[in-house]
């Protein structure tokens, strides 16, 4: 008999539902919350209210698109954390009621583990062991993946995440939130003329807060001489910022490959949608003869398909949770 899982993702500002059948994605529906643009960042209270409005239609659409009936489902999966408490609560409460109504077992999923396992939603799949550079708005990690559910974080940021570095720099440049995709687009029209310093951090850890500060001082200095500096040089500034963020990420990722001897390399998370990072990984693979894995755009940013794929592996091990489960805003 086939395993059919309804998966819910609501950890931040995207409400998503997916139906996964025997590790195949039947549907993956995402409702973005554009409302946060007004505030220049995600407002937790606004996010949880938007999840409440979105969750029923998003789930209904995912089930319809999958061409199944609710009665066909064998389990329901949800993101337990890490994420915003109020946002997680909406997905979890929905999953609990759904599980009770349809007598389904519940599967908890760690959002960061799911970003890594998004690679199993498509072909070719990475071979174990592989390294995954997971880069999102809240996290920056190098993960050593021994098996679907056996992962170890071997490097992470000591301050801001890579996505945060894009978004906070974007704010300095007067760009909308989230600025990552906008910087990516503008950078295509510019040249990385400005050389921002690369932080000197030991081992496999990252730091991005110094970069943000040096960009701030750079802009202040230039604006003193020319009040239109940002407007006149936006594309070049974006190209320079992106160039440095990508080099910080890639240098540590290469170091991790050399240290571990693992040359199966994958990227995941919202920032893995960045065209310069994707190109840098592809070039590295071609240059060194290493295997590289880059997810389709729909599996980079937050989505429920990755939650459902992770849940498939947990279902095989019968890793279920009860109705007393609570969200974990912080969950390694
Ligand atoms: O994984 P994700 O959707 O949500 C979190 O779990 O945080 O990642 C969102 C982050 C944001 O910081 C956004 O600016 C960044 O991913 N992002 C990008 C691009 N697309 C999304 N950053 C750089 N270039 C992109 N093309
Ligand atoms: Zn995410």
């Amino acid at each position: 008999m086939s395993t059919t899982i309804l998966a819910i993702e609501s950890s931040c500002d995207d409400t998503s539902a997916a139906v996964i059948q025997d590790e195949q994605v039947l549907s993956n529906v995402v409702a973005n919350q554009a409302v946060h643009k007004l505030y220049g960042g995600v407002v937790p209270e606004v996010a949880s209210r938007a999840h409440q409005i979105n969750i029923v239609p998003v789930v209904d659409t995912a089930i319809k698109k999958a061409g199944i009936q609710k009665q066909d489902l064998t389990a329901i999966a949800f993101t337990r954390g890490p994420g915003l408490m109020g946002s997680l609560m909406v997905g979890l409460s929905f999953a609990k009621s759904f599980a009770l109504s349809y007598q389904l077992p519940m599967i908890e999923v760690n959002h960061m583990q799911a970003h890594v396992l998004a690679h199993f939603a498509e072909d070719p799949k990475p071979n174990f062991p592989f390294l995954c550079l997971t880069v999102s708005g809240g996290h920056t990690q190098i993960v050593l993946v021994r098996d679907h559910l056996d992962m170890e974080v071997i490097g992470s940021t000591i301050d801001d995440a890579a996505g945060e570095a894009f978004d906070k720099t974007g704010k300095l440049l007067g760009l909308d939130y989230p600025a990552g995709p906008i910087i990516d687009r503008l950078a295509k029209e510019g040249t990385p003329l400005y050389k921002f310093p690369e932080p000197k951090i030991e081992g496999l850890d990252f730091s991005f807060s110094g970069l943000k500060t040096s960009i701030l001082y750079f802009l202040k200095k230039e604006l003193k001489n020319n009040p239109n500096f940002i407007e006149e040089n936006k594309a070049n500034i974006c190209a320079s910022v992106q160039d440095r963020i990508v080099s910080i990420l890639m240098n540590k990722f290469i170091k991790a490959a050399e240290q571990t001897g693992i040359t199966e390399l994958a990227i995941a998370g919202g920032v893995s949608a960045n065209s310069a990072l994707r190109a840098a990984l592809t070039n590295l693979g071609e240059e060194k003869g290493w295997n590289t894995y880059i997810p389709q755009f729909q599996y980079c940013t937050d989505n429920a398909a990755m939650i459902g794929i992770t849940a498939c592996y947990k279902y095989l091990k019968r890793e279920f949770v009860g109705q007393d489960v609570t969200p974990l805003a912080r969950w390694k």
Side-chain angles (χ1 to χ4, degrees):
M1 209 187 84
S2 61
T3 307
T4 311
I5 297 178
L6 171 66
I8 311 286
E9 156 62 32
S10 71
S11 65
C12 191
D13 59 340
D14 295 314
T15 319
S16 181
V19 176
I20 312 294
Q21 192 164 61
D22 300 329
E23 295 164 50
Q24 297 296 315
V25 181
L26 298 189
S27 64
N28 181 37
V29 177
V30 183
N32 303 114
Q33 302 180 2
V35 58
H36 301 287
K37 268 189 192 148
L38 295 172
Y39 306 99
V42 177
V43 183
E45 177 65 26
V46 174
S48 55
R49 284 169 193 237
H51 281 307
Q52 278 198 316
I53 294 168
N54 292 341
I55 195 144
V56 171
V58 164
V59 168
D60 276 349
T61 310
I63 289 175
K64 265 198 205 98
K65 276 196 169 170
I68 61 147
Q69 304 294 318
K70 290 183 179 120
Q71 290 71 14
D72 301 333
L73 291 165
T74 41
I76 179 158
F78 60 92
T79 305
R80 186 177 179 196
L84 300 171
M85 200 42 133
S87 291
L88 292 166
M89 198 73 95
V90 176
L92 175 48
S93 307
F94 181 91
K96 281 185 183 179
S97 347
F98 200 97
L100 276 178
S101 314
Y102 291 92
Q103 304 273 298
L104 296 172
M106 283 194 294
I107 302 172
E108 62 172 25
V109 172
N110 178 306
H111 181 86
M112 297 312 295
Q113 193 169 43
H115 267 304
V116 174
L117 294 180
H119 282 281
F120 293 84
E122 54 187 332
D123 287 317
K125 298 173 175 41
N127 301 299
F128 297 116
F130 68 93
L131 294 179
C132 187
L133 175 68
T134 314
V135 271
S136 70
H139 294 80
T140 299
Q141 302 177 331
I142 298 178
V143 188
L144 195 169
V145 190
R146 296 190 186 88
D147 204 348
H148 296 111
L149 301 176
D150 182 3
M151 301 184 190
E152 183 188 346
V153 177
I154 58 171
S156 56
T157 181
I158 58 169
D159 42 54
D160 291 349
E164 246 176 317
F166 274 107
D167 297 337
K168 288 183 175 172
T169 311
K171 215 170 188 173
L172 297 176
L173 298 174
L175 304 177
D176 274 350
Y177 175 87
I182 306 172
I183 293 181
D184 190 351
R185 182 165 45 76
L186 290 171
K188 290 195 174 91
E189 295 150 25
T191 313
L193 295 180
Y194 312 112
K195 300 295 168 201
F196 298 113
E198 178 152 357
K200 301 206 169 11
I201 306 291
E202 293 284 303
L204 298 177
D205 287 339
F206 302 89
S207 167
F208 289 100
S209 65
L211 175 66
K212 186 189 60 201
T213 313
S214 68
I215 294 166
L216 177 68
Y217 286 133
F218 166 78
L219 291 176
K220 271 192 177 164
K221 200 176 112 226
E222 296 294 338
L223 285 169
K224 247 190 213 158
N225 301 329
N226 173 9
N228 296 325
F229 179 77
I230 294 180
E231 279 319 306
E232 288 170 9
N233 298 282
K234 212 174 246 176
N236 291 339
I237 303 169
C238 288
S240 308
V241 168
Q242 177 173 279
D243 193 56
R244 179 51 78 218
I245 295 175
V246 169
S247 78
I248 294 173
L249 293 171
M250 288 305 294
N251 287 343
K252 290 286 174 149
F253 205 24
I254 293 168
K255 192 169 179 181
E258 287 169 354
Q259 274 185 15
T260 58
I262 297 171
T263 55
E264 290 273 311
L265 303 183
I267 51 174
V271 180
S272 67
N274 182 266
S275 54
L277 181 62
R278 296 165 86 89
L281 186 68
T282 305
N283 290 342
L284 176 73
E286 284 168 4
E287 195 184 296
K288 304 251 191 194
W290 294 352
N291 289 334
T292 57
Y293 303 89
I294 298 174
Q296 284 175 35
F297 288 114
Q298 63 162 330
Y299 300 134
C300 291
T301 43
D302 290 347
N303 66 89
M306 68 185 193
I307 304 299
I309 290 287
T310 309
C312 287
Y313 301 111
K314 294 193 140 192
Y315 186 90
L316 293 174
K317 294 189 161 187
R318 296 290 185 268
E319 286 187 21
F320 303 131
V321 290
Q323 283 282 331
D324 56 347
V325 62
T326 51
L328 292 174
R330 286 174 187 277
W331 186 11
K332 284 209 169 167

